[in-house]
Amino acid sequence: MVGLNLGYAQNFTFTTLAGTAGLGGSTDGPGGTARFQNPRGIAVDAADNVFVADTGSNTIRKISSSGLVSTFAGSAGRAGSANATGAAASFFGPQGLATDGSGTIFVTENNHTIRRITSGAVVTTLAGLPAVNGTTDGIGSAARFNVPSGVALDSAGNLYIADSSNHTIRKTSASGTVTTLAGSPDLPGMADGTGAGARFNLPSAVAIDAAGNLYVADFANHTIRKITGAGVVSTLAGTPGTSGASNGAGLAARFSYPSGIAVDASGRIFVADQNNHTIRAVTAAGVVTTVAGGTGITGSTNGTGSATRFYYPTDVAVDRAGNLYVAESFSQTIRKGTLEIAPRETEVSRISNLAIRSRAGAGDDTLIIGFGIGGTGTSGTKPILLRAVGPTLTQFGVPGTLIDPYLKLFVGMNKVDENDDWAGNPQIAAIAAQVGAFALASPTSKDASLFKPALAAGSSSVWITGNAGDTGVALAELYDASPAAAFNATTARLINVSARSQVGTGNDMLFAGVTIAGPTFKTVLIRAVGPTLGLFGVGGTLANPRLDLFSGTTKIFENDDWGGDATMTNAFQSVGAFQLPGNSRDAALLVTLAPGSYTVQVSGVNGTTGVALIEIYEVP
């Protein structure tokens, strides 16, 4: 399991932005003089104004960047569905909020409607019919909802709605055409799948990332779900039907009635974990940590990280600077979590270790690992430890190991060093201990290793063959041997690694390990290229590679066909990787990983075999 000491609990310091704990009402005014009545939904516009769905007072409130609270639309104590301007409009139990770049606000309400408010506070009904629930798709008032809750807006102006009591996720175009994206009306449950084949149980909130992926707080299932643009639903984190507070990856994590959700500019997901009284963070890979609050401990204490106390937080929003805003319905307050800008460590996050396990031999069976040293804004050389491990793998239960690996290091086409047997080299042993590598079996083992104290930036490669023409399973390892305390933003990094190998089945699948070191998350691009290698004249390619990413023994992400995703295409360009045809069967993952160790597995769909290229890139 990944070590989860990420520093997040100390990254946000919470204060009370507006309202006073335990004092309900509808008073406008600055900061603590203002009063709210069961604030439920929250959103932040481009000017950093905070808007609040004040459910109990049936109003939409506005908190300026200076902390001044005013009533933006509706009139306290008057419930209804009147379309009008400002105080002349009326709402019935407003629930969720979303804003666009022009200052327009979208509101879901218990009246089974979706309302729209312009920047001038003009209120209209976009979809649904007041006081009439149902499941009908349609245009405007012909559509029906059943207690719509959270709402999110994509870059094209489409709304996504957690239609809570219908147990579905709905989509509303800018013109008001409503369709059902995922789930089946009136059929609560827990099932991953596509479109109507998926099941939700009282979904409460939705949020969308820059790539168009939708995330759902699936309230009664205690899970965070993901929906792709094609409507494919998967479970990102949490165990269906099991509440709890555990941090961890994927199904190992636990939530207790997650009610609000937001995504920041980096793709990090924040969750108002209502019954745990905490704010949680989830990476795109499904790794969950607790940002603030004490699990199971209620209160209204301001503080940093775990010293903060919440009382049933219901929704969360994030601004352009990464600060968090929390609506606390039971405390009648709006809280703000200020993100620390100045790092508290000189150490930066980076790829610190790369390892490839595959079959190696002679000739066409040579295992060739390419890697790059550098990074934007970096300079200087890098100490690198290289190992070709064969015999020592037997102590880990790996069968068919390469009995006598031979390691050669190339810079460009020039061989600059080589090693047959490491022969108990004391410097190699000391550096291995420094970087946390497992010890080789003995000083007389036939494993090979090199330590280069000052390898130049640029591209290099490691060739691993079998001495005397033998073949077998070998592990190629590259370690960044720079001392962590001396690592900063200008220190050259390991920025990519690639390996081309024959992919078989079982122990002959292609395995790659990657370690993220440092205080924060790191985004990496991982590719398994098979069919596209044919365009470069490679024969016998793996026709349909599959990628599986593991944290410990837990699979946290997977991909079969990359699907021509535009965000992925941009990532290829940003790291200098060759482009893949949009309809190719190659696999790719773009993931943001917490510090820790991960394993990538490349296999052939349906047990097929062939030549594949695995690549791991640091994404700027």
Side-chain angles (χ1 to χ4, degrees):
M1 186 59 64
V2 181
L4 294 172
N5 182 19
L6 308 180
Y8 264 148
Q10 300 302 314
N11 275 357
F12 291 92
T13 298
F14 279 86
T15 57
T16 301
L17 179 65
T20 297
L23 297 179
S26 56
T27 305
D28 290 336
T33 67
R35 298 290 180 265
F36 296 89
Q37 192 65 46
N38 300 325
R40 173 62 181 84
I42 192 167
V44 187
D45 71 7
D48 293 333
N49 297 301
V50 179
F51 291 89
V52 180
D54 201 18
T55 304
S57 70
N58 296 304
T59 58
I60 305 303
R61 312 289 290 281
K62 177 182 177 180
I63 310 173
S64 71
S65 56
S66 64
L68 180 65
V69 179
S70 60
T71 300
F72 187 67
S75 183
R78 189 180 78 234
S81 56
N83 290 323
T85 301
S90 60
F91 298 88
F92 186 91
Q95 292 288 302
L97 298 178
T99 64
D100 68 10
S102 67
T104 301
I105 304 166
F106 298 90
V107 184
T108 59
E109 57 181 344
N110 281 344
N111 220 17
H112 316 300
T113 55
I114 313 301
R115 313 289 290 280
R116 178 167 50 197
I117 313 174
T118 70
S119 58
V122 178
V123 180
T124 56
T125 301
L126 177 65
L129 190 65
V132 180
N133 65 12
T135 63
T136 307
D137 289 339
I139 300 174
S141 61
R144 297 291 181 268
F145 298 91
N146 195 356
V147 192
S149 183
V151 59
L153 183 73
D154 71 12
S155 58
N158 299 301
L159 291 176
Y160 298 87
I161 298 141
D163 198 6
S164 187
S165 292
N166 274 332
H167 312 291
T168 54
I169 306 302
R170 313 288 290 279
K171 179 179 179 180
T172 303
S173 70
S175 62
T177 300
V178 179
T179 56
T180 301
L181 177 67
S184 188
D186 301 326
L187 291 176
M190 179 65 205
D192 291 337
T194 301
R199 294 290 181 270
F200 300 90
N201 196 350
L202 297 176
S204 60
V206 288
I208 195 163
D209 68 12
N213 297 303
L214 194 68
Y215 299 94
V216 181
D218 199 3
F219 187 76
N221 276 325
H222 311 293
T223 54
I224 305 303
R225 315 287 291 280
K226 177 182 178 180
I227 309 177
T228 68
V232 179
V233 180
S234 59
T235 301
L236 179 66
T239 297
T242 303
S243 65
S246 301
N247 290 323
L251 296 177
R254 299 287 185 273
F255 298 89
S256 186
Y257 298 100
S259 60
I261 194 166
V263 181
D264 72 8
S266 71
R268 190 170 56 204
I269 304 154
F270 295 96
V271 179
D273 199 8
Q274 182 176 289
N275 283 26
N276 277 326
H277 313 290
T278 55
I279 305 300
R280 315 287 290 280
V282 188
T283 72
V287 179
V288 180
T289 58
T290 300
V291 168
T295 301
I297 305 173
T298 62
S300 300
T301 306
N302 290 320
T304 302
S306 59
T308 312
R309 295 291 179 264
F310 300 98
Y311 189 36
Y312 292 103
T314 51
D315 200 12
V316 62
V318 61
D319 67 17
R320 295 169 300 167
N323 300 307
L324 298 181
Y325 300 85
V326 178
E328 285 188 278
S329 186
F330 282 64
S331 284
Q332 319 292 358
T333 57
I334 306 301
R335 313 282 289 280
K336 180 179 180 180
T338 303
L339 179 66
E340 293 180 2
I341 297 173
R344 292 177 296 170
E345 300 181 54
T346 59
E347 185 185 3
V348 298
S349 291
R350 74 277 184 191
I351 297 171
S352 65
N353 162 234
L354 296 156
I356 303 289
R357 197 187 90 182
S358 184
R359 180 162 292 277
D364 291 340
D365 288 329
T366 299
L367 176 57
I368 302 176
I369 311 297
F371 64 97
I373 295 172
T376 303
T378 67
S379 61
T381 60
K382 170 150 294 297
I384 291 286
L385 175 67
L386 305 170
R387 303 204 304 181
V389 184
T392 296
L393 292 181
T394 59
Q395 69 185 26
F396 299 105
V398 178
T401 59
L402 187 62
I403 60 174
D404 190 1
Y406 198 102
L407 185 155
K408 300 175 185 177
L409 173 63
F410 288 80
V411 175
M413 297 301 296
N414 300 316
K415 184 174 72 174
V416 296
D417 211 340
E418 60 188 329
N419 179 257
D420 181 6
D421 303 330
W422 81 289
N425 184 306
Q427 184 185 38
I428 295 287
I431 296 298
Q434 172 196 313
V435 299
F438 60 83
L440 298 176
S442 74
T444 59
S445 76
K446 291 292 187 177
D447 306 292
S449 186
L450 286 171
F451 174 60
K452 305 301 291 183
L455 197 59
S459 297
S460 302
S461 61
V462 177
W463 293 32
I464 298 174
T465 59
N467 224 344
D470 55 311
T471 63
V473 176
L475 178 70
E477 296 182 303
L478 299 86
Y479 290 91
D480 183 339
S482 300
F487 213 107
N488 58 49
T490 65
T491 306
R493 303 184 298 273
L494 285 172
I495 55 175
N496 64 67
V497 65
S498 63
R500 199 185 85 180
S501 179
Q502 179 75 25
V503 177
T505 59
N507 284 314
D508 288 334
M509 289 189 291
L510 183 58
F511 298 91
V514 58
T515 299
I516 306 298
T520 58
F521 289 67
K522 189 74 179 176
T523 300
V524 295
L525 171 68
I526 306 170
R527 307 202 305 181
V529 184
T532 298
L533 291 181
L535 301 179
F536 299 97
V538 178
T541 60
L542 187 61
N544 191 0
R546 174 188 174 88
L547 273 176
D548 292 290
L549 179 63
F550 293 83
S551 171
T553 59
T554 302
K555 183 164 67 174
I556 59 175
F557 223 82
E558 62 185 38
N559 179 255
D560 180 3
D561 303 329
W562 79 284
D565 180 83
T567 300
M568 200 75 74
T569 299
N570 291 337
F572 298 168
Q573 183 175 0
S574 73
V575 301
F578 60 83
Q579 289 293 332
L580 304 176
N583 61 351
S584 77
R585 306 303 295 271
D586 305 293
L589 291 171
L590 183 63
V591 291
T592 301
L593 301 177
S597 297
Y598 301 86
T599 301
V600 183
Q601 176 182 292
V602 179
S603 60
V605 173
N606 297 322
T608 53
T609 62
V611 176
L613 175 72
I614 185 170
E615 300 175 301
I616 302 174
Y617 293 89
E618 170 189 284
V619 178

